[in-house]
Amino acid sequence: MFKRLLVAIEGSPTSDRALDYALAVAKARAARLRVLFVVDVPLACGRHRSVTLYRGITRTG
């Protein structure tokens, strides 16, 4: 039924549960899963400031 899935996470317990569910669905359907990590960055972060948007995701299993 599904060949590809996309799940957005942002570090909350609710998004952790969504990721667990998406992993289970992807495994059951032999589908590919893409994870999008969403970061809320204030627009007024300054002209000369650097902002780290991505730290990395550790893949297990």
Side-chain angles (χ1 to χ4, degrees):
M1 181 183 201
F2 298 108
K3 292 182 182 179
R4 292 177 282 187
L5 298 169
L6 172 69
V7 63
I9 61 171
E10 35 67 301
S12 72
T14 302
S15 70
D16 289 343
R17 288 193 305 272
L19 178 58
D20 290 341
Y21 182 76
L23 285 167
V25 170
K27 187 174 181 180
R29 305 282 189 235
R32 296 180 110 187
L33 176 63
R34 295 209 179 208
V35 178
L36 175 68
F37 191 86
V38 179
V39 179
D40 185 15
V41 178
L43 292 177
C45 60
R47 184 178 239 201
H48 300 288
R49 284 188 180 162
S50 63
V51 178
T52 301
L53 297 178
Y54 176 76
R55 290 189 189 179
I57 297 175
T58 303
R59 181 179 175 180
T60 59

